[in-house]
Amino acid sequence: RFIFALWHLLPQNTQFADHSSSAVMHRRALSRVAASSRPRLLSRHLLRRMSTAAAEIAERGAAAGLKFYQFSFVDLFGVQRSKLVPASRVAEIAEGGAGFAGFAAHLDMDPTMGDLLAVPDAATLTPLPWQPEVGWLSCNLVHEDTELAHGPRNVLRSVQARLAEHGVALKTGVECEFFLLDGSAPAARPALSDPFDVQAKPCYDAHALMRRYELISTLVSHMEQLGWGPYQADHEDANGQFEINWDFDDALVTADRVVLFKYMVRSLAERAGLRATFMPKPFASLTGSGCHAHVSLHEPGTGKNLCQGGAPEMHGLSPLALSFTAGLLAHAPALTALTNPTVNSYKRLGARMTSSGATWSPTAATWAGNNRTALIRVPDEHRMELRLADMSANPYLMAAAIGAAGLDGLRA
């Protein structure tokens, strides 16, 4: 399901078209979504921009006192891959891209293919707050002078371009949940790190939250330093589970931040002798970790919110927002291939009971007002909350799938 759903987000070459009944079924599931453009060759104009970007990275990095740069991308499964580049060579490497063997990561490539180049986006240069001499960069993948069509960040950028053609810019805000585990426990037998975190209904437990004050407050402080606008942190519905919320933004910006957020949480947890996991359902009896996505549609250029202004019986959503929502509902079964990509994901979605009394995960393609049992909740007229995804989702493909399904609703 994952491969078929991803396939329909990519530019298609007709010689690879599969007209078997299985392929047709999945093609209908995510039909007509962002598959009209072909992989983009690197034009002279783009090459000049790359040269400017390389200079910008080197200049900004020197001003920040950076000694190393981490050229980063994620593979199809959202696993972060990177290379460390010394400051003395960053302009050179940023110019052409850091080379990787694509087969060594989950990118559906074979060992005979040439180098995969990770070309950094200068706008993403971020000194790591916990390692300030290192600058983190999110990269776009290029293969043989062509943007890799199924590179996750490229997929999202392609969907954004298709939405822009319909006069829509997609913004997202996500609720990232995670567990803090005992760092000394074997991976095969995970254990919670706080022996006192035992409440039957642990959500918002003040004591459990403050026992992890040092780590949680450091994370929030780092996010403030990065300009993300964190506004609250809490102990979640499972023992040992936490969540930190920050401001919504452009879908690509948010996806970049989710990648960096997971990296930061894991790194700081390890320093504290803990282990952070974003596994959807690490404990059968406890609530799983979701990645609820708050989605809003905006006018490109002005940023005007296009979701509001509808009738009260439609929870205030505009006809445009309702069409986008209809696309999400129509493609909900296929969306799960990208929003819930692991076997463990379905232990969260399929759970019938937890020790707290609720799973907080949807079981049917429904929408409602301020109702947390629905697949899509409408908390107010400015946004829709898709409660389907979990933390194992690739953040770029999740956002791309949301945008593509919604786009199909707009076209219909």
Side-chain angles (χ1 to χ4, degrees):
R1 293 178 67 196
F2 178 89
I3 296 300
F4 272 118
L6 177 61
W7 181 257
H8 294 289
L9 290 171
L10 306 181
Q12 299 294 304
N13 293 323
T14 55
Q15 62 265 36
F16 296 125
D18 183 350
H19 298 289
S20 66
S21 59
S22 177
V24 170
M25 178 183 69
H26 286 87
R27 196 173 293 275
R28 287 173 180 166
L30 273 176
S31 61
R32 303 186 304 279
V33 292
S36 58
S37 63
R38 293 185 179 275
R40 290 178 287 183
L41 293 176
L42 299 183
S43 64
R44 290 181 181 177
H45 173 67
L46 184 55
L47 288 170
R48 284 196 298 270
R49 284 180 53 196
M50 285 171 56
S51 180
T52 303
E56 179 185 345
I57 290 168
E59 290 170 8
R60 287 175 52 204
L66 298 181
K67 297 179 180 178
F68 289 91
Y69 297 76
Q70 194 169 15
F71 284 48
S72 174
F73 68 92
V74 300
D75 63 22
L76 292 175
F77 294 104
V79 177
Q80 185 178 200
R81 314 285 181 169
S82 71
K83 281 191 174 181
L84 203 59
V85 176
S88 60
R89 305 296 294 273
V90 70
E92 170 193 345
I93 302 300
E95 178 73 25
F100 293 80
F103 177 72
H106 294 294
L107 283 170
D108 195 30
M109 301 178 74
D110 67 57
T112 67
M113 296 179 174
D115 274 0
L116 182 69
L117 299 177
V119 179
D121 182 340
T124 67
L125 178 60
T126 306
L128 297 178
W130 68 97
Q131 201 80 47
E133 71 273 18
V134 178
W136 183 87
L137 287 158
S138 186
C139 299
N140 298 320
L141 296 179
V142 173
H143 182 246
E144 296 182 347
D145 297 327
T146 302
E147 290 190 344
L148 188 72
H150 62 279
R153 200 170 190 267
N154 293 341
V155 173
L156 176 53
R157 291 166 59 225
S158 176
V159 172
Q160 286 182 306
R162 300 288 79 74
L163 284 166
E165 291 173 359
H166 283 73
V168 172
L170 178 67
K171 294 190 177 184
T172 58
V174 293
E175 301 178 22
C176 291
E177 298 175 336
F178 58 94
F179 282 84
L180 291 176
L181 307 178
D182 182 350
S184 63
R189 295 191 299 278
L192 297 178
S193 62
D194 183 354
F196 299 106
D197 191 349
V198 294
Q199 276 205 46
K201 277 189 174 291
C203 203
Y204 314 126
D205 183 346
H207 292 280
L209 175 63
M210 293 308 288
R211 283 194 295 272
R212 289 288 172 253
Y213 172 79
E214 185 174 350
L215 175 58
I216 299 300
S217 64
T218 300
L219 286 167
V220 173
S221 295
H222 286 347
M223 294 163 73
E224 286 186 313
Q225 179 184 335
L226 295 174
W228 294 5
Y231 55 88
Q232 61 186 15
D234 67 85
H235 187 289
E236 269 299 319
D237 195 60
N239 307 106
Q241 187 185 44
F242 298 85
E243 176 181 308
I244 302 177
N245 306 124
W246 67 88
D247 289 342
F248 74 96
D249 211 314
D250 173 83
L252 184 64
V253 172
T254 295
D256 284 335
R257 289 176 177 174
V258 172
V259 174
L260 185 51
F261 175 78
K262 295 172 78 171
Y263 183 27
M264 180 164 58
V265 172
R266 288 186 176 120
S267 298
L268 293 184
E270 287 175 6
R271 288 190 175 188
L274 306 174
R275 183 162 162 251
T277 179
F278 295 91
M279 189 176 180
K281 188 78 168 174
F283 302 99
S285 62
L286 302 180
T287 305
S289 290
C291 186
H292 304 154
H294 293 258
V295 178
S296 54
L297 309 177
H298 298 260
E299 187 175 82
T302 69
K304 177 184 176 183
N305 189 297
L306 301 176
C307 292
Q308 58 193 2
E313 60 269 22
M314 293 295 143
H315 309 297
L317 293 183
S318 66
L320 181 83
L322 289 172
S323 294
F324 193 93
T325 301
L328 293 176
L329 292 170
H331 295 298
L335 280 174
T336 59
L338 297 172
T339 58
N340 310 85
T342 69
V343 171
N344 189 252
S345 298
Y346 298 90
K347 295 181 179 180
R348 168 183 169 264
L349 287 181
R352 289 293 176 264
M353 185 55 66
T354 67
S355 60
S356 71
T359 67
W360 303 106
S361 58
T363 57
T366 59
W367 76 293
N370 201 356
N371 179 344
R372 286 180 168 84
T373 66
L375 179 81
I376 299 175
R377 177 176 78 110
V378 185
D380 55 53
E381 64 178 356
H382 302 99
R383 59 189 163 128
M384 301 80 73
E385 179 193 13
L386 180 68
R387 298 178 59 80
L388 179 63
D390 62 55
M391 288 305 301
S392 69
N394 182 315
Y396 301 105
L397 298 183
M398 179 183 80
I402 290 171
L407 175 61
D408 199 47
L410 299 181
R411 287 172 170 168

